[in-house]
Amino acid sequence: MAAYVSMGEAHRRITEYLTRFSDAVSYQDGQSLSRLLSVSSNSPALLSLADALNTYQDANRIIRQSEKYSQYTDILVPIFRALQSYRLRNLVEAYVAFEKVSNAFIQEFRNWESAWALEALYVIAYEVRILAERADIELASIGKTPEKLKGAGSFLMKVFGVLAGKGAKRVGALYVTCQLFKIYFKLGTVHLCRSVIRSIETAKFFDFEEFPDRDKVTYMYYTGRLEVYNENFPAADHKLSYALAHCNASKEANIRMILKYLIPVKLSIGILPRTTLLEKFNLTEYSDVVLALRRGDLRLLRHALQEHEDRFLRSGVYLVLEKLELQVYQRLVKKIYIIQKQKDPNKAHQIKLDVIVKALKWLEMDMDVDEVECIMAILIYKNLVKGYFAHKSKVAVLSKQDPFPKLNGKPVNS
Amino acid sequence: MATEQVKPPTEEAKIDLFEDDDEFEEFEIDQEWEAKDEGKEVTQQWEDDWDDDDVNDDFSLQLRRELESNTEKK
C-alpha cells in the first residue's frame, strides 16, 4: 500500500508540511490551512506525507526542533497520527487523533480575533463527522458499540457555542449546524436539533439571509423535513420551497431529495406536481398518488401506498400520503356531482348516499350507507364539502354555492 | 452509555448501523451561485388549479357508466 520513501525524502516532506502549516497560520491563509487538515480528502500531498510519516517514525522530534512548529504541538502531533492511521485504514485511531486536533484547533481559533480561519474550521467540522462515521463502521464490524459519531455531535455542539456569539465568526454557525443535523438525522436523535434551531432563529443581531447560500439551503432542507415529521405543512412548504428555489441547479441529487419531501407536503395542501417534474427527478413513486387525486380514485391511492409502502415509511411521508384519502373522497364525490349535473341540473345537489356506495363498490371498497354517511360527515366537518344531511332519506344535500371548497394552499382542517 | 437491550422488532430490522437515506450532499466550501435564475424552472412545476369540472377522462366515463348501469338494475 504505502510506497517506498527514503529517509531523506520523508524528512523533506514532513518539513514541507510543517512549513506550510506555520506559513498558513502566520499569513492567515484559511484556504491553505484547510487543505492541510482535510484528512479524508486523499489529496496526493497528504497521501505522500502519510507515507513519509510511516517511514520516518520520529516526526515529533522535527516538530519540537523549531519554535515555529512547536507552538502548535497540540495540533501537529495528533494530525500526523491521524494522517498515518487513516492511510493505514485504522479508522478508529484516526478519529481519536483527529478529535485531539480539533480540540486544539478550537482553542487557537477562539483566540484568533478575526474570522480568517473559518474555512479551516469548516473542514474540521466536516472531517470530525466523516471520520467518526467511518470509525463507527469499523467499530461495528468488530462487534463494538459505534459511539464516535455521537461523540462528534457533542464536539460540534461545543464548536457551535464558540461561533454562536456576536461577531464575524457568527457567519460560520450555520455550517456547523448543518453538520450537526446530518449527525442527528443519521443517529435518529433529531430532537437534539431543537436547541440549535432555537439559537439560529431567535438571533436578533444576525440576519438569516447573511449566511452563505449553501448553508441556508441545507438548513432549510433539514428543518423542512422536521416540519414534515411534525405535520406542520405550511412551515414545511415554506422551508422546503426555499431550499428548492435557492439550491444550486447543478446539484440534482439534492434537488431530488428536497422534492421527495416537498411533493407530499404540496399534495397535502392541494397542489400537484407536474408529470415532467416527477419524471425528470425520477420520483415516479408519486405518479399514481397524483393520478389518484386527479381522478378521485381511492383504489389507485390504496394501491400506490401499498406498492411503495417501504419507501414511504422509510422517508417518513407515509402518514402524510395516507391522509390524502379525504381529498380523494372529495374529488370522487365532486365527480359524481358533476355527472349528475350533466344529466339533471336541478337535482344535482342532492346526492343519494346509495350512489356513493355504488361508486365505492366499483372501486372495491365495501361500505354500507352508514359508513358512507360517516365519511360525508367528516368531509363536511373538514370543510371539504359544504352541505348537510337529510338523514331519513339518506341524501346529502350540497350547498349550491361552492359545494367543494378548494384548499388553496392550506392544509385540510384538523 | 446505557442503551436499552430490548428493542421493538421494527427497530431491529431497520439497521445494523445508523442510516439516513436522504443525507444532503455537501456543497463545495467555496461554492456560491446565483440563486435568482437557477432553480426557477423547478419552482414552476406545480399546479393548483387542477381540480376542474372535466369528466371526460377514462376514469370519469367509467364511473358514469357504473352509476348508470347500477341505477338501471334497481
Side-chain angles (χ1 to χ4, degrees), chain A residues 135-205:
Chain A
D136 275 356
I137 293 172
E138 186 179 304
L139 284 171
S141 74
I142 53 171
K144 291 192 178 160
T145 314
E147 56 182 17
K148 299 302 181 199
L149 192 55
K150 200 172 164 222
S154 312
F155 170 74
L156 289 180
M157 266 313 280
K158 213 163 71 182
V159 177
F160 181 82
V162 172
L163 298 170
K166 277 185 198 171
K169 293 175 185 172
R170 170 94 196 169
V171 75
L174 204 59
Y175 181 85
V176 176
T177 302
C178 294
Q179 296 300 323
L180 277 168
F181 284 172
K182 287 181 180 178
I183 290 175
Y184 294 153
F185 272 75
K186 185 156 256 180
L187 295 178
T189 54
V190 294
H191 59 280
L192 295 173
C193 298
R194 240 179 276 152
S195 66
V196 198
I197 292 174
R198 202 176 309 122
S199 166
I200 292 290
E201 297 193 350
T202 57
K204 295 224 165 57
F205 43 83

Side-chain angles (χ1 to χ4, degrees), chain A residues 34-235:
Chain A
S34 69
R35 276 192 223 114
L36 297 171
L37 300 169
S38 303
V39 173
S40 73
S41 69
N42 288 324
S43 76
L46 291 182
L47 288 179
S48 70
L49 172 67
D51 290 340
L53 289 164
N54 282 318
T55 302
Y56 195 96
Q57 289 297 331
D58 200 11
N60 295 349
R61 205 166 45 88
I62 311 180
I63 297 173
R64 283 189 207 99
Q65 271 168 0
S66 159
E67 161 71 10
K68 256 195 342 188
Y69 313 141
S70 65
Q71 57 176 321
Y72 301 113
T73 302
D74 292 347
I75 297 176
L76 292 170
V77 170
I79 190 96
F80 279 173
R81 171 150 285 260
L83 286 164
Q84 262 179 295
S85 308
Y86 190 76
R87 182 72 166 137
L88 300 173
R89 292 279 168 258
N90 293 329
L91 299 168
V92 176
E93 260 179 57
Y95 173 76
V96 172
F98 196 81
E99 207 186 56
K100 289 191 183 123
V101 175
S102 308
N103 274 306
F105 181 87
I106 288 298
Q107 288 298 331
E108 297 290 337
F109 184 84
R110 225 192 274 261
N111 296 330
W112 291 326
E113 279 192 16
S114 82
W116 70 268
L118 260 186
E119 202 168 317
L121 183 82
Y122 293 155
V123 167
I124 292 273
Y126 171 78
E127 291 289 332
V128 159
R129 175 173 73 83
I130 294 298
L131 294 176
E133 280 178 11
R134 295 185 186 164
D136 275 356
I137 293 172
E138 186 179 304
L139 284 171
S141 74
I142 53 171
K144 291 192 178 160
T145 314
E147 56 182 17
K148 299 302 181 199
L149 192 55
K150 200 172 164 222
S154 312
F155 170 74
L156 289 180
M157 266 313 280
K158 213 163 71 182
V159 177
F160 181 82
V162 172
L163 298 170
K166 277 185 198 171
K169 293 175 185 172
R170 170 94 196 169
V171 75
L174 204 59
Y175 181 85
V176 176
T177 302
C178 294
Q179 296 300 323
L180 277 168
F181 284 172
K182 287 181 180 178
I183 290 175
Y184 294 153
F185 272 75
K186 185 156 256 180
L187 295 178
T189 54
V190 294
H191 59 280
L192 295 173
C193 298
R194 240 179 276 152
S195 66
V196 198
I197 292 174
R198 202 176 309 122
S199 166
I200 292 290
E201 297 193 350
T202 57
K204 295 224 165 57
F205 43 83
F206 198 91
D207 184 359
F208 182 77
E209 284 303 320
E210 288 176 44
F211 288 118
D213 276 335
R214 51 147 220 270
D215 299 334
K216 286 187 287 188
V217 168
T218 308
Y219 179 86
M220 288 304 212
Y221 166 71
Y222 280 104
T223 51
R225 279 177 69 181
L226 289 173
E227 297 294 1
V228 175
Y229 299 148
N230 296 333
E231 301 193 25
N232 186 355
F233 300 128

Side-chain angles (χ1 to χ4, degrees), chain B residues 7-23:
Chain B
K7 279 181 185 163
T10 46
E11 277 240 318
E12 200 143 47
K14 212 162 60 183
I15 15 159
D16 16 309
L17 252 182
F18 312 109
E19 216 30 81
D20 174 20
D21 295 342
D22 299 315
E23 183 174 295

